[in-house]
Structures are given as structure tokens and as C-alpha cells.
């Protein structure tokens, strides 16, 4: 059995030590082919970090399926599923719209792009985005195994809910399957906890590799843009979420941040809401006390469609690019940005760097040059780490509020010491 506080401390030590060592390597070896870079950073540490990410990703599909099928099969009636779904979707959309509005307000106040004489040195070719019709049809799986093999989370979510609801209505055989699913859920949770034990080492390796390879020179050129995104991320993280938890959930925000902080370290070092999903779910259930029936639905859905941090980057980037190219966006243009960035963040997969690709959609919508993305690519890696931490915090915020409103938040767990990580 390991104490959660000790694990959190070890994770933070691993993260900070990796960041420092990686940055030192970066300063020491400007040429990428040195022995340190080849054998240590891009050899040993890269192997350690990649195996750690692979082990987290490995759990995502089985976890979402078993956990959500379990949760849906345990709900007493279909209407509560619908209610939870509506509340969750409504809150996800609302927090994202607040995030992007904040981004636009702060960015148009700071004016990060004015006076920048930047040219598009790198060419950026956007991927073609699917139509809304395709997006809607694609939510429904034709082959659940294919959906799982491809890691198509929305399809896996739909399949798991359908199976869960059917189990719920199946009487005696349903009860038997529910028990088996519950057992599987326990096994997967145990696996997550096993991986959590080695997380400090995995996170250390990831951070060394990332920071040793990261170019910091681009930050100096884009410091105003970079800082604007960071400021808005901080405001949204510290203010919007704490106000939401206090006013909509009637809960003290302090406990929330204290319990959830280790997950942010995972999100920061993996830059992926999807890879962090197992850890988010574990922390939301066992750290914050959200019952499985709610968490199993809200957390995977959030990791797939709720990206407040990404929307913030897209809002600031839009203003920055418009100013850098001396293009005036009208008031309707800004409203359009709010709408499209909210939709674009829904369409952003929870993997590293995708927010930059869906930014093309927002730029096209308001008539800005998509090549503008090339201006900000240089600093996006570090911003991706920070915005992913905000993305997962948004998922946990909404889960906690929805659980509280449904009477499915264990207040003892929320306030007190969470369960040790080896207990299920
Ligand atoms: N890396 C982000 C996430 O996984 C998505 C993005 O903004 O690129 O949440």
C-alpha cells in the first residue's frame, strides 16, 4: 500500500528533476548528435518515457469500456443517464465558451501580435477536416472491435453505454454480467495503480527527453504570445474552475485542487488527455469521491470532447495571427471565433499537438491565413503541455459538479484523505 501524498511528492520530484536535467542537457549539447543526446536522451530516457506512455495508453480502451458499461448498468433508470448526459454536455460547452471568451478578452487587451514583423518561414499544410454530417454519423460504431482497435473513443463510449443499458434491462443474466464487468473494472483499476507506482520514473524520463530536445529560442521571439496564453490558462484554471466548483457544486475548491494536482503532472508530461485518462478516472473516483456511475461517463467524454486549454490557445492564436497580418476581425468575427473554437476543441483528439491542427478550422472560418499557424509552431510544444493540464482539470471539475448535483459525490472522500492507491 502506498500513500497518495508520498506518490504525489515523488511524481513532482520526478517532474522537476526531469525538467532541470533535460534543460541542462539542452544547454550542454547544442549539437543533436552528441553522445548524451544520442545514447542517453534519445536512447535510454526516450525508451523509458515511451514505454510509460504506451502502458498508460494500453489501458484507455479497456478502461473506458468496462468502467462505462459498469456505470451505465448500475444506473437505476434510463432517465438519470439522460440527465447526467445533458448536464455534462451543457457544462462542458459552457466552460469551453468561458475559456475562449476569456482568451479573446485578454488577448485583445494585451495585443500580442501588434508590431510583430513576422514572416511565415515554415509552410503549414492543414489536414482536411470532416464535415459536421460525417462527424455526427461517425459517433455511431458499425463495428465495436474496429472502434476499439482504432481507439475511436466516441464510438467506444456509445457502444459501452448501449451494452450497459442493455445489461441493466436484462434481469438475471444482466446481473451476472454486471458482476463480471465489476470484477474486470477492479482488475483494470489495479493495473492503473501498478503503473502509478512507477510513474515518477516514467515522468522523469519523459521530461528529460522533452526538455533536452526542446528549442527555447522560439520563446524569446514569441514571448508576448506565449505569456498571453499562459496568463489565460492560469486565470481559467485558478478562477473559472474554483468559482464553478464553489457556486455550481457548493464545494470548497481547495480540496479539489489538492486532490487533483498529481493528475496535472501526468497531463503536463504526456501532453495527452487520452493517455492521462486512466489516471484522471482513478483520481476523480478515489481521490475526489465521484461515484463510478458518473465518473465513468463524464471523464472519458471529457477527455474526448472537452478541451478548455486548447480553446484558450486557439483564441489567443487567432487574435495574434490577425494582428501579425494586420487583419481586422469584426465583432461578428469574434463571435464566430467563440463558436468555431468551441466546436474545434470538441473535434480535437486528446493527443499531443492536435489543437494546432484544428486551429486551421477556426482561422479559415474567420478568413485568416492558415499559414499563420507556422508562426506559433515553435512554442506550441510547451504550451501543449500546459493546456493539456487545464483540459483534464476541466473534465474533473465538471465531473465533480455533476456528481454533486446527482447526489453521487462521496463527501467523506472529497473532504478527507482519499483512499490509498492500492485499495479499490
Ligand atoms: N494535447 C491536448 C490534449 O491532449 C490537445 C491539444 O490541444 O493539442 O488534451
Amino acid at each position: 500500500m502506498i500513500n497518495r501524498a508520498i506518490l504525489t511528492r515523488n511524481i513532482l520530484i520526478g517532474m522537476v528533476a526531469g525538467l532541470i536535467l533535460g534543460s541542462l542537457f539542452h544547454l550542454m549539447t547544442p549539437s543533436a548528435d552528441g553522445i548524451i543526446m544520442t545514447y542517453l536522451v534519445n536512447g535510454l530516457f526516450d525508451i523509458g518515457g515511451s514505454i510509460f506512455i504506451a502502458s498508460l495508453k494500453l489501458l484507455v480502451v479497456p478502461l473506458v469500456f468496462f468502467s462505462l458499461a459498469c456505470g451505465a448498468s448500475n444506473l437505476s433508470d434510463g432517465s438519470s443517464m439522460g440527465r447526467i448526459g445533458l448536464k455534462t454536455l451543457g457544462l462542458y460547452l459552457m466552460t469551453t465558451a468561458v475559456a475562449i471568451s476569456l482568451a479573446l478578452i485578454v488577448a485583445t487587451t494585451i495585443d500580442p501580435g501588434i508590431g510583430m514583423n513576422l514572416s511565415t518561414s515554415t509552410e503549414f499544410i492543414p489536414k482536411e477536416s470532416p464535415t459536421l454530417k460525417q462527424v455526427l454519423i461517425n459517433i455511431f460504431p458499425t463495428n465495436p472491435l474496429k472502434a476499439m482497435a482504432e481507439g475511436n473513443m466516441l464510438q467506444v463510449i456509445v457502444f459501452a453505454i448501449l451494452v450497459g443499458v442493455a445489461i441493466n434491462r436484462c434481469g438475471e443474466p444482466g446481473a451476472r454480467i454486471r458482476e463480471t464487468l465489476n470484477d474486470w473494472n477492479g482488475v483494470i483499476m489495479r493495473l492503473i495503480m501498478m503503473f502509478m507506482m512507477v510513474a515518477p520514473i516514467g515522468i522523469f524520463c519523459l521530461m528529460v527527453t522533452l526538455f533536452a530536445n526542446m528549442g527555447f529560442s522560439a520563446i524569446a521571439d514569441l514571448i508576448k504570445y506565449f505569456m498571453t496564453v499562459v496568463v489565460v490558462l492560469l486565470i481559467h484554471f485558478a478562477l473559472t474552475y474554483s468559482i464553478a466548483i464553489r457556486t455550481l457544486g457548493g464545494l470548497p475548491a481547495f480540496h479539489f485542487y489538492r486532490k487533483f494536482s498529481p493528475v496535472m503532472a501526468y497531463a503536463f508530461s504526456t501532453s495527452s488527455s487520452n493517455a492521462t485518462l486512466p489516471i484522471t478516472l482513478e483520481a476523480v473516483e478515489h481521490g475526489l469521491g465521484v461515484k463510478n456511475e458518473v465518473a465513468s461517463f463524464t471523464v472519458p467524454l471529457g477527455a474526448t470532447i472537452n478541451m478548455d486549454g486548447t480553446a484558450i490557445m486557439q483564441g489567443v492564436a487567432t487574435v495574434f495571427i490577425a494582428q501579425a497580418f494586420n487583419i481586422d476581425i469584426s465583432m461578428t468575427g469574434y463571435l464566430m471565433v467563440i463558436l468555431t473554437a468551441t466546436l474545434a476543441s470538441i473535434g480535437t483528439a486528446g493527443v499531443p499537438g492536435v489543437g494546432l491542427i484544428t486551429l486551421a478550422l477556426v482561422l479559415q472560418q474567420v478568413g485568416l491565413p492558415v499559414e499563420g499557424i507556422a508562426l506559433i509552431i515553435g512554442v506550441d510544444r510547451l504550451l501543449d503541455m500546459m493546456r493539456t493540464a487545464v483540459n483534464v482539470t476541466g473534465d474533473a471539475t465538471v465531473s465533480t459538479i455533476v456528481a454533486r448535483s446527482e447526489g453521487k459525490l462521496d463527501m467523506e472522500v472529497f473532504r478527507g484523505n482519499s483512499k490509498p492507491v492500492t485499495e479499490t
Side-chain angles (χ1 to χ4, degrees), residues 232-420:
V232 187
L233 286 176
L234 283 175
I235 296 176
H236 194 63
F237 172 79
L239 285 183
T240 313
Y241 293 146
S242 62
I243 292 172
I245 286 185
R246 214 165 291 178
T247 53
L248 300 177
L251 295 161
F254 168 74
H255 293 295
F256 173 82
Y257 287 110
R258 179 170 65 88
K259 300 279 187 68
F260 199 66
S261 54
V263 184
M264 295 169 207
Y266 280 89
F268 185 79
S269 36
T270 59
S271 290
S272 167
S273 310
N274 267 4
T276 314
L277 199 154
I279 312 296
T280 316
L281 192 60
E282 197 280 334
V284 167
E285 280 187 30
H286 298 136
L288 295 170
V290 176
K291 295 258 161 66
N292 172 266
E293 298 96 287
V294 173
S296 64
F297 171 69
T298 51
V299 174
L301 189 70
T304 315
I305 68 161
N306 183 48
M307 309 272 167
D308 294 356
T310 304
I312 287 171
M313 176 279 286
Q314 294 181 337
V316 177
T318 309
V319 173
F320 174 79
I321 290 168
Q323 291 176 344
F325 282 90
N326 280 322
I327 299 170
D328 205 21
I329 318 179
S330 60
M331 199 58 209
T332 20
Y334 283 119
L335 290 177
M336 195 54 125
V337 173
I338 297 181
L339 189 72
T340 42
T342 306
L343 294 176
S345 73
I346 293 176
T348 304
V351 289
V354 181
L356 213 54
I357 295 169
T358 46
L359 172 62
L361 217 142
V362 183
L363 296 178
Q364 271 165 351
Q365 208 60 45
V366 284
L368 287 173
V370 172
E371 309 84 66
I373 293 178
L375 299 177
I376 52 172
I377 276 182
V379 290
D380 198 63
R381 192 68 191 87
L382 195 55
L383 288 178
D384 194 8
M385 300 166 91
M386 298 185 214
R387 67 175 181 255
T388 307
V390 172
N391 288 347
V392 298
T393 311
D395 304 340
T397 304
V398 169
S399 300
T400 309
I401 295 171
V402 171
R404 171 76 162 162
S405 73
E406 289 286 317
K408 302 234 178 261
L409 186 75
D410 187 331
M411 284 309 291
E412 238 175 83
V413 177
F414 183 82
R415 278 212 195 87
N417 288 326
S418 13
K419 293 179 194 165

Side-chain angles (χ1 to χ4, degrees), residues 7-22 44-56 195-212 260-272 275-276 279 381 385:
L7 186 64
T8 304
R9 189 201 62 197
N10 292 349
I11 287 171
L12 290 179
I13 292 175
M15 194 171 102
V16 175
L19 195 151
I20 294 171
L21 189 66
L44 187 71
F45 290 125
D46 194 24
I47 293 175
S50 304
I51 292 176
F52 176 62
I53 293 221
S55 56
L56 287 178
F195 289 139
M196 279 170 80
M197 302 297 162
V198 292
I201 303 168
I203 287 183
F204 173 76
C205 291
L206 276 178
M207 295 300 278
V208 174
T209 318
L210 279 171
F211 278 81
F260 199 66
S261 54
V263 184
M264 295 169 207
Y266 280 89
F268 185 79
S269 36
T270 59
S271 290
S272 167
T276 314
I279 312 296
R381 192 68 191 87
M385 300 166 91

Side-chain angles (χ1 to χ4, degrees), residues 36-340:
I36 292 184
M37 290 305 280
T38 313
Y39 295 106
L40 216 54
V41 174
N42 294 321
L44 187 71
F45 290 125
D46 194 24
I47 293 175
S50 304
I51 292 176
F52 176 62
I53 293 221
S55 56
L56 287 178
K57 283 189 182 162
L58 152 87
L59 296 174
V60 172
V61 169
L63 173 71
V64 171
F65 177 73
F66 286 120
S67 181
L68 191 48
C70 249
S73 73
N74 281 323
L75 280 175
S76 46
D77 59 301
S79 65
S80 56
M81 185 87 225
R83 215 177 40 242
I84 292 172
L86 278 181
K87 276 186 198 172
T88 309
L89 274 178
L91 282 170
Y92 279 154
L93 287 177
M94 198 180 86
T95 48
T96 307
V98 171
I100 172 89
S101 308
L102 270 176
L104 291 179
I105 292 169
V106 177
T108 46
T109 312
I110 295 182
D111 291 335
I114 282 190
M116 300 223 59
N117 261 336
L118 293 171
S119 58
T120 50
S121 47
T122 333
E123 217 190 324
F124 184 84
I125 302 153
K127 279 191 192 164
E128 227 185 283
S129 31
T131 62
L132 185 64
K133 181 181 163 191
Q134 272 170 318
V135 171
L136 286 177
I137 293 174
N138 279 344
I139 294 176
F140 295 89
T142 48
N143 178 343
L145 292 184
K146 184 165 168 258
M148 289 181 186
E150 288 173 349
N152 186 328
M153 293 325 292
L154 282 182
Q155 293 194 352
V156 177
I157 288 173
V158 169
F159 179 61
I161 292 177
L162 290 175
V163 171
V165 171
I167 290 172
N168 193 314
R169 297 178 178 184
C170 228
E172 184 67 19
R176 281 199 301 271
I177 299 222
R178 186 184 303 131
E179 248 175 60
T180 312
L181 278 181
N182 267 324
D183 290 346
W184 266 109
N185 205 14
V187 171
I188 305 276
M189 276 289 172
R190 175 67 50 157
L191 257 177
I192 295 174
M193 284 153 193
M194 281 159 54
F195 289 139
M196 279 170 80
M197 302 297 162
V198 292
I201 303 168
I203 287 183
F204 173 76
C205 291
L206 276 178
M207 295 300 278
V208 174
T209 318
L210 279 171
F211 278 81
N213 285 308
M214 186 140 21
F216 293 105
S217 55
I219 295 180
D221 295 337
L222 292 165
I223 190 76
K224 254 181 136 182
Y225 163 74
F226 185 85
M227 287 315 293
T228 312
V229 178
V230 173
V231 166
V232 187
L233 286 176
L234 283 175
I235 296 176
H236 194 63
F237 172 79
L239 285 183
T240 313
Y241 293 146
S242 62
I243 292 172
I245 286 185
R246 214 165 291 178
T247 53
L248 300 177
L251 295 161
F254 168 74
H255 293 295
F256 173 82
Y257 287 110
R258 179 170 65 88
K259 300 279 187 68
F260 199 66
S261 54
V263 184
M264 295 169 207
Y266 280 89
F268 185 79
S269 36
T270 59
S271 290
S272 167
S273 310
N274 267 4
T276 314
L277 199 154
I279 312 296
T280 316
L281 192 60
E282 197 280 334
V284 167
E285 280 187 30
H286 298 136
L288 295 170
V290 176
K291 295 258 161 66
N292 172 266
E293 298 96 287
V294 173
S296 64
F297 171 69
T298 51
V299 174
L301 189 70
T304 315
I305 68 161
N306 183 48
M307 309 272 167
D308 294 356
T310 304
I312 287 171
M313 176 279 286
Q314 294 181 337
V316 177
T318 309
V319 173
F320 174 79
I321 290 168
Q323 291 176 344
F325 282 90
N326 280 322
I327 299 170
D328 205 21
I329 318 179
S330 60
M331 199 58 209
T332 20
Y334 283 119
L335 290 177
M336 195 54 125
V337 173
I338 297 181
L339 189 72
T340 42

